[in-house]
Amino acid sequence: MVEAELGERSRQVLEAVIVDYTLTAEPVGSRAVSRKYHPDLSPATIRNAMADLEELGYLSQPHPSAGRVPTDKAYRFYVDRMKAQPLSRTEATRLNRQVGGARSELDELMEHASLQLSSLSRYTGVVLAPPLSHTRLERVDLLPVGGERALAVVVTETGWVTSRTITLGEPLRQLELREIARLITEGFGGLTFQEIQGRLDDPGPPPEERLGRLALTLAEKVFALLRDRNLYIGGAINILDQPEFADLDTMRMLLKAFEEKRRLIELFSSRAEAEGVRVVIGSENPYEEMHETSVVTAVYKYGNHILGSLGVVGPRRMRYAKVVALVDYTAKLVSRRLDRLARAEPSA
Amino acid sequence: MVEAELGERSRQVLEAVIVDYTLTAEPVGSRAVSRKYHPDLSPATIRNAMADLEELGYLSQPHPSAGRVPTDKAYRFYVDRMKAQPLSRTEATRLNRQVGGARSELDELMEHASLQLSSLSRYTGVVLAPPLSHTRLERVDLLPVGGERALAVVVTETGWVTSRTITLGEPLRQLELREIARLITEGFGGLTFQEIQGRLDDPGPPPEERLGRLALTLAEKVFALLRDRNLYIGGAINILDQPEFADLDTMRMLLKAFEEKRRLIELFSSRAEAEGVRVVIGSENPYEEMHETSVVTAVYKYGNHILGSLGVVGPRRMRYAKVVALVDYTAKLVSRRLDRLARAEPSA
DNA sequence: CATGAGCACTTCCCGTGGTGGAGTGCGAAC
DNA sequence: GTTCGCACTCCACCACGGGAAGTGCTCATG
C-alpha cells in the first residue's frame, strides 16, 4: 500500500532527505539533495518529487522558502524498511565488557546498561527494572534487626532477591517472626505478585489467631514495598547536545519528562509484550511531552519470561539503524547475563 | 574588622542592593535604591556609597553604565550578619507531615526530604545518606538464596540495616554460610567500617582453615558493597527556572555537575563535622562547576553522631535567610525522625 | 566636609530597514 | 518525463540610530 503510494524516484529522494536531515539537523533543499546524493538528477526534478512527498505527508516545510524536513510518517516509512546497522567490533567488545562483565549485581547491571546505551548512542539510555507482577513468590523471610523493625527478604522463583526493612506495629519475638514468615510463605508461595495483590485487596474473613492476622498486615507491608519498579536513566544530559533541544523551553519540558519517572515507567512497560525492537516516533508517543523525541525499546527476558525493557530516548531524527542494533544487542546481552546470574547452580 | 571597613551608610546601601538583586536578578542602580529603600537619601549620595563599596570589593558592574551587582564578598558579609527568617506555619506543617511522617522507611525519608527541600525553596534539594565509615558493625548475616548467591545482611550498632546479594565464588551449604557469617561478625563486630577497611587492606597471614579464608574474601565483597553513599537530588530542574541559568552553557554545566554524583558527594561530606548551618557562596566552592551557585547545608545526627548532611543548591542570589531556616529545620526534623525510627524499642 | 543637584558621557537595548542567500513554484523548452 | 531559467518569497544577518538607564564629575550649600 505504501509501496504503491511512492514511486522509486520519490523513495530515493525521501531517503536522501531523511539521511541528510539526520546528519545536519537543517532543513534540506532540492539543490543539496541533487549535489550530495543524486548528481544525475537536477534540482528541479528533485523539487517535483519533494512537492509530491509533501502532498503525501512525508515532508514538511518550516516556512515557505526553507528546505524540507521529514515528518513522523517519513521516519516511520524509513524505519519499517531499513536494515539495522550492526555494531562495530569495538562497540560490541565494550558492551560485552561493561554490561556482560561477571562481577556486577543486578542493580549495577541495570545501571551500567543504561550508561552504555547512552554513551554508545550519544542519546539517553533507559532501563526499566523487572516488575514483579508476573513472577511467582518462592518464600519470605523475616529477620529481627532490633527495635520494632524487621528485615523482610523476598525471594522469587526466578531467584531474585529483594529486601527492605519494615516497621512492625508491635514488638515481636524471633520465634513469632519466623512463624509469621512461614505463614506468609505458605499462604502466598507459588502465586504471582499480581495474584497476591488480588488476594490482599479482597481478603475475606480475618483469621482467628493473632499470628495469622499479623501475617496479613505484614504481608501487606512487605508487598507494598515491592510495587514500584526502578527506572535507570543514564546520560540524561547527553540528549541535550542535540540542536533540537537547544531551545530553553523544549529542554525544560524534556527534563521534566525525565524527572517524572512514573510516566516514563508506564511508557516503557506498556506494550512491552512483543519480542524484538520497537520504535516509537515523535507524536506516536502517547506521552505529549515526548512528541519531539523518538524512543527505541526492546525487552529483556529471563528464560521465556519477559522481565523488563530497555532502550534509548533521542531526537526524532535519530540514527535509527544504529540505535536499533544497539538496543537489540544490549537487550540480548542483559538477558544472557540474567540467565547466568540466576542459573548459577551449585556445580557439585 | 569588617565593621570598621564599612560605615553605617554603606552598610545600609549594600543591604539594599543585595535585597533588591535577590528579588529581581537585575543590576540595581542608585536611583532604584533611593526610590525603593532610602527615599531620604538622594541617588547621588547612594552613588558615592556604591563607588566606595565597589572599591572595597563588595559590588561590581557587569558593564560600565549598568547598575551594581553584589559580589561573593557581599553575600558573605550579608549572610554572616543576617538573621534566619523562620518558616511559616504552613511550611512547617507541610514539612512535618511529608518528612516527619511516621510510615516511611529510611530511603523514602531521604527522598522525601530532598523533594521538600526543593519545593519549599524553589531551588534544588540534596540529601547525602549516612556514610558507614564511622559507625560500628553489630553483626552480619548470610542467607542462601539459591544458586551460588547469598543475601548479605549488615546491621550496625545504630540499628541500620543494609542488605545486598553477593555472588559466592563456590557453592556453599547453609551451615557453612552461617558459620562464615559468625566468623565475620566475631572478627569485625564492634569495629567501625573504617577500621574494618583498614584490616581488610592489610590482612596479615591468611587463616589456616578453609572457612576462615572464605570469610575473609566474602567480607571483602560485603563491605565493598557498602562503600558508596547514596545522594538524593530532588527537583534538579527547579533551579533551572532561575534567570541566571537561562544560558544554555551554564545550564549544561550545572546539570553535568548534578549528574556527576561522586563529586557532589565529596562536596557534601567534606567539612561536614561542624554543627549548624553552613553556607558556601559562589567561588568559595572548591568545585569549579558550581561557582555560579551557592550551597546551604546542615548535618543531621543520630544521637551524638553526625550521620550525613542535607541542603539546598541555588543561585548565588539565594534567599539566604529563608533557606538557612529551611535547611536547619529539615536537618533537625530528619534527626528526630531517625531517632524515632531506630530507638523504637519493644515497649514491654 | 558630607550631601545633593545638574550635566555630560557611556553603554546597552531594541526596533527598523536594507541586503544577500537559499529555496520554491511555475511556465517553457527539450 | 525531465530540465532550465526566472520571478518571487521568506528568513537570517547586519548596520544604524533613538531612547533609556546609569555613572562620574563638578559645583553649590548647610
Side-chain angles (χ1 to χ4, degrees), chain B residues 301-329:
Chain B
K301 309 194 295 177
Y302 168 71
N304 287 322
H305 296 292
I306 289 173
L307 275 191
S309 58
L310 53 78
V312 165
V313 179
R316 288 181 342 193
R317 51 170 201 96
M318 196 187 272
R319 280 141 30 234
Y320 290 102
K322 213 187 152 187
V323 171
V324 164
L326 170 67
V327 169
D328 188 43
Y329 192 90

Side-chain angles (χ1 to χ4, degrees), chain B residues 108-127:
Chain B
E108 287 175 61
L109 172 65
M110 303 279 144
E111 186 152 350
H112 284 172
S114 77
L115 285 174
Q116 288 306 315
L117 280 170
S118 156
S119 90
L120 286 175
S121 67
R122 306 290 316 148
Y123 306 133
T124 294
V126 179
V127 177

Side-chain angles (χ1 to χ4, degrees), chain A residues 240-260:
Chain A
L240 299 184
D241 290 339
Q242 301 299 325
E244 39 265 87
F245 304 114
D247 174 55
L248 273 183
D249 289 326
T250 323
M251 192 180 233
R252 246 196 291 262
M253 196 167 71
L254 189 59
L255 289 175
K256 192 153 246 154
F258 281 148
E259 211 167 69
E260 257 192 69

Side-chain angles (χ1 to χ4, degrees), chain A residues 15-56:
Chain A
E15 202 153 304
V17 172
I18 293 176
V19 168
D20 199 66
Y21 186 68
T22 313
L23 291 175
T24 63
E26 301 278 317
V28 7
S30 55
R31 194 182 172 69
V33 173
S34 166
R35 215 172 347 108
K36 294 201 235 171
Y37 302 90
H38 297 284
D40 48 318
L41 297 180
S42 81
T45 314
I46 313 256
R47 275 206 287 282
N48 286 330
M50 283 169 113
D52 294 350
L53 285 166
E54 178 157 9
E55 196 146 349
L56 291 170

Side-chain angles (χ1 to χ4, degrees), chain A residues 144-150 166-172 177 218 221, chain B residues 340-348:
Chain A
V145 290
E148 295 189 0
R149 296 181 312 142
I166 58 170
T167 316
L168 312 168
E170 53 187 298
L172 290 169
L177 273 179
L218 286 188
K221 270 194 183 173
Chain B
R340 258 190 293 150
L341 241 176
R343 281 194 203 278
E345 295 292 333
S347 46

Side-chain angles (χ1 to χ4, degrees), chain A residues 37 72 128 173 228 313 316 335:
Chain A
Y37 302 90
D72 291 346
L128 180 60
R173 298 162 180 285
D228 42 348
V313 178
R316 286 176 349 188
S335 300

